Amino acid sequence: MKVLLIGSGGREHALAWKLAQSPRLSKLFATPGNPGIAQHAELVDVAPHNIVGFAREENIGLVVIGPEQPLVEGMADELRADGVLVFGPSAAAARLEGSKGFTKDLCRRANIPTADYERFDDAAAAKAALPRFGLPVVIKADGLAAGKGVVIPMTAAEAEAAIDDMFGGGFGSAGAEVVIEEFMAGEEASFFALTDGKTIVPFGSAQDHKRVGGGDTGPNTGGMGAYSPASILTPELEAQVMERIIRPTVDTMAAEGNPYSGVLYAGLMLTADGPKLIEYNCRFGDPETQVLMARFDGDLVTLLADVAEGRLGEITPPVLADRAALTVVIAADGYPGTPAKGGVIAGIDRAEHTGARVFQAGTALADGQLVAAGGRVLAVTATGRTVAAAQIAAYAAVDAIDFPTGFCRRDIGWREVEREAGRVA
Ligand code: AMP
Ligand code: GLY
C-alpha cells in the first residue's frame, strides 16, 4: 500500500519511522516533510488544495494527516469525498479541538466531567462574569492558537487584561470567542484512544512538560519533553476515563451525526474528584507521539488503515510494550519566543549509536549541513525498563549531540522518576 503522510514535525518523523517498518507499505510519501522524515519517505511538494489530485494520481491507499490545522480545515472530508482512505477526523469532528466552546457544550450535554465554564463573544460580558469564577481563573481563546491560547490569571486585573487582549485580536481569529473556566487543581496526564466512531481502543498514556524551564517554570511551549506510560493514570483511572469521558464523547458525536474517526487525545486533570477533561486534541501529540511510537511494536499502516476503514471492532486491539519511553526536546535558543535560525546540528549518528532515536522537527538542510529551522528542533527519544532508565539513556544521547544554539530541559520525567524512587524505597 502507498501511504501519504501530511506534516513536518517531530510527530510526523516518529510516524514516518513507524509507518516505514510496516510490511504492508510499498511506498511512503510525505509533504512537506523535513530532513528526518526524508530518511523514511519520499518528500513531495504538494499544496493542500492539490492533495486530492496527488492521492488519485499516485493511487495512494492511505493518507495520514498529522497536524490539527488541515483536519479542522476539512482535508479529511475532501479526501473521503474522493474515495481516498484517510486517518484523521472530518472537520465537523475535529471541532473537538478546533472549538473549545463546542467541546465544553458537548461535555455538558453528555454529562462528561470537566471544569465549569461559560462562553462569551464580547469583552464586557466576559469581565462581568469574572467574580463568579474566583481566582485563579482560566481564560481561553475558543479557536486554534498553537497551544498558546490559554491564560491563567492570578488577579482580577490580569484577567481583565487577558480578556481585552483576546477580544483585541491578540490570538487572531481564535479569540473572537472566549471561554472562561473554573480552575482545576491536580496533576495532568494525557490519554490516547483510537476510534472509528464506534469501537474505541486505548492507545497509551503520557505526560508532557509544557513549560520551557526546569521544574515546570516559565512560559508555555508546544511541549519540551514527554514520557510514557504515565503510571499516575492507573488501570482503574484509565477505565474511568474510558467510561465517563471517551465513550460518551464518541457516542454523542456519532449520535449527533458527526462520527469521530482517528486518534482522540484527551488532556486530563486528575483531581480529588476523579479525572476531568481539560481539552481534546484531534491528532497525536507532539512530542507524545515520539514516546508512543517508541513503545509500539505493531504494524502502524495496518492499524491506521483499520481505523480509517471502520474495522476496529474486528481486530485484536493494539498493545504498547511494557517498556518506558522518554523524549527530550532540544529547542533553538529564544524558543518559545523567536527561535534562532540556522544553527548547525551535528552528532545525530553518535546519539543514535547509544540506542536512542533522534526525531527531527524544525530542521533543514543548508549547503549539505543540518541546521535549525524552527522552535522545537529535535526530540531525542530512548526506552528503558523504567522511566528513570529511559531518562538516563535519553540524556546520554542528548549529550552526544552538538548543537550550540540549542537548549533543552534537564529534568524531563522528574515526577515519574520521583514516584519510581518512592516505590523502590
Ligand atoms: P489547553 O490548551 O486547554 O490544554 O490548556 C493548556 C494548559 O492550561 C493545560 O495543559 C493546563 O495546564 C492548563 N489548564 C487549562 N484548563 C485548565 C483548568 N480548567 N484548570 C486548570 N488548568 C487548566
Ligand atoms: N504536546 C502537546 C500537544 O501535542 O498538544
Side-chain angles (χ1 to χ4, degrees):
M1 183 189 288
K2 287 188 184 176
V3 177
L4 170 64
L5 173 65
I6 312 287
S8 64
R11 163 183 49 214
E12 286 78 21
H13 187 180
L15 292 172
W17 169 67
K18 197 45 76 174
L19 290 167
Q21 293 170 26
S22 167
R24 289 271 300 281
L25 185 77
S26 57
K27 171 132 194 173
L28 182 60
F29 292 99
T31 185
N34 70 29
I37 295 169
Q39 296 163 12
H40 314 288
E42 179 181 331
L43 302 195
V44 285
D45 187 13
V46 187
H49 64 274
N50 289 330
I51 297 282
V52 172
F54 179 85
R56 196 184 310 127
E57 266 163 44
E58 285 292 343
N59 196 19
I60 298 292
L62 175 70
V63 178
V64 178
I65 303 176
E68 62 276 17
Q69 192 80 41
L71 290 165
V72 168
E73 288 171 359
M75 186 184 281
D77 304 78
E78 286 166 33
L79 285 157
R80 282 195 189 104
D82 214 64
V84 181
L85 200 61
V86 191
F87 178 80
S90 67
R95 280 180 297 172
L96 283 178
E97 176 165 2
S99 167
K100 295 190 189 293
F102 172 84
T103 298
K104 299 297 285 189
D105 287 353
L106 179 125
C107 288
R108 195 169 271 169
R109 287 198 298 285
N111 203 18
I112 292 168
T114 188
D116 242 346
Y117 74 101
E118 287 182 56
R119 300 174 72 171
F120 299 95
D121 54 19
D122 80 278
K127 287 182 194 171
L130 282 173
R132 296 203 282 278
F133 288 89
L135 290 166
V137 62
V138 183
I139 302 179
K140 301 184 174 182
D142 180 75
L144 290 184
K148 298 185 183 114
V150 178
V151 188
I152 307 188
M154 301 301 292
T155 67
E158 281 168 31
E160 295 199 353
I163 290 169
D164 281 333
D165 183 34
M166 285 186 192
F167 283 113
F171 295 91
S173 59
E177 189 183 322
V178 163
V179 177
I180 302 185
E181 284 184 22
E182 159 207 17
F183 177 83
M184 298 185 286
E187 190 168 334
E188 288 178 47
S190 302
F191 180 75
F192 299 84
L194 297 172
T195 177
D196 55 14
K198 306 179 292 287
T199 304
I200 309 171
V201 297
F203 198 61
S205 62
Q207 198 168 45
D208 82 339
H209 296 263
K210 290 204 169 101
R211 303 298 193 103
V212 74
D216 296 317
T217 55
N220 262 320
T221 70
M224 294 301 291
Y227 68 86
S228 174
S231 73
I232 187 167
L233 210 53
T234 59
E236 294 73 32
L237 287 178
E238 259 191 43
Q240 278 183 31
V241 170
M242 281 291 277
E243 184 190 328
R244 295 185 195 164
I245 298 178
I246 308 286
R247 171 51 71 191
T249 300
V250 170
D251 288 350
T252 304
M253 292 296 284
E256 295 180 353
N258 307 308
Y260 188 98
S261 167
V263 58
L264 194 52
Y265 158 2
L268 302 168
M269 189 69 84
L270 306 180
T271 75
D273 303 326
K276 294 190 180 181
L277 182 71
I278 301 174
E279 61 153 7
Y280 276 128
N281 295 306
C282 64
R283 39 135 186 116
F284 281 113
D286 190 351
E288 291 89 337
T289 308
Q290 289 82 321
V291 286
L292 293 184
M293 291 304 129
R295 295 183 54 220
F296 182 60
D297 296 326
D299 174 351
L300 190 63
V301 170
T302 298
L303 179 60
L304 301 190
D306 284 338
V307 172
E309 287 176 310
R311 289 179 6 92
L312 269 187
E314 300 157 37
I315 67 165
T316 311
V319 284
L320 296 181
D322 270 344
R323 60 183 176 269
L326 184 139
T327 190
V328 178
V329 168
I330 309 185
D333 287 343
Y335 180 76
T338 307
K341 278 206 172 137
V344 175
I345 304 158
I348 288 185
D349 287 349
R350 210 163 45 233
E352 293 199 325
H353 266 121
T354 68
R357 192 139 288 280
V358 180
F359 295 116
Q360 298 184 31
T363 60
L365 284 173
D367 299 328
Q369 270 186 320
L370 193 67
V371 298
R376 293 186 292 172
V377 178
L378 304 173
V380 181
T381 310
T383 57
R385 205 173 48 79
T386 59
V387 172
Q391 187 195 48
I392 289 169
Y395 280 108
V398 165
D399 291 336
I401 288 175
D402 186 20
F403 175 30
T405 59
F407 72 97
C408 67
R409 281 181 57 165
R410 298 297 312 188
D411 63 346
I412 298 304
W414 65 270
R415 284 196 185 81
E416 191 69 14
V417 171
E418 279 183 7
R419 271 192 284 271
E420 286 176 351
R423 282 198 287 269
V424 173

